Amino acid sequence: MLRDRGQRVSLSVNGAAPETTLLSNAWIANGCYSGGGIRSAPRARLDDAALDLVCVAHTSLPRRAYTLLKLRSGAFVDLPHVEYRQVRCVEFTSETPVLVET
């Protein structure tokens, strides 16, 4: 966490023009839980025919630590540096390698 500098990515949602942003993390989810019971997309529903996109902007170290405290419950999505929206399709691109977990 101390060495994390965020990742600059271009993000295209539903075929719109790409937006460039500096992210700490992002989830594309169909369900509300990810590894170990973390509510990474608490509003996601398996039967709504949509994907939930959760983007966490890269911020200061204290703010990132505070975000982690709210991660398991899913309350982090209400923080001002977190963008949460439903999408049909999303494409991430980056000039440098980006770690991906599926």
Side-chain angles (χ1 to χ4, degrees):
M1 188 175 210
L2 293 173
R3 291 180 288 180
D4 181 34
R5 301 288 181 244
Q7 185 70 45
R8 187 157 305 281
V9 299
S10 290
L11 174 67
S12 176
V13 176
N14 298 331
E19 309 165 18
T20 299
T21 186
L22 185 63
L23 294 179
S24 282
N25 211 332
W27 288 270
I28 303 167
N30 193 23
C32 60
Y33 293 97
S34 60
I38 293 172
R39 295 189 71 206
S40 53
R43 301 177 199 138
R45 300 292 171 259
L46 294 173
D47 61 356
D48 65 3
L51 296 171
D52 286 42
L53 173 62
V54 184
C55 293
V56 182
H58 189 71
T59 62
S60 67
L61 181 59
R63 187 176 254 181
R64 285 183 279 148
Y66 182 69
T67 302
L68 280 177
L69 294 174
K70 295 183 167 282
L71 184 61
R72 181 164 291 283
S73 70
F76 77 101
V77 300
D78 296 321
L79 297 172
H81 62 283
V82 178
E83 181 182 358
Y84 193 116
R85 56 183 158 168
Q86 286 192 319
V87 301
R88 289 185 320 278
C89 66
V90 60
E91 181 179 342
F92 285 89
T93 57
S94 175
E95 292 183 12
T96 59
V98 176
L99 295 175
V100 176
E101 180 181 342
T102 57

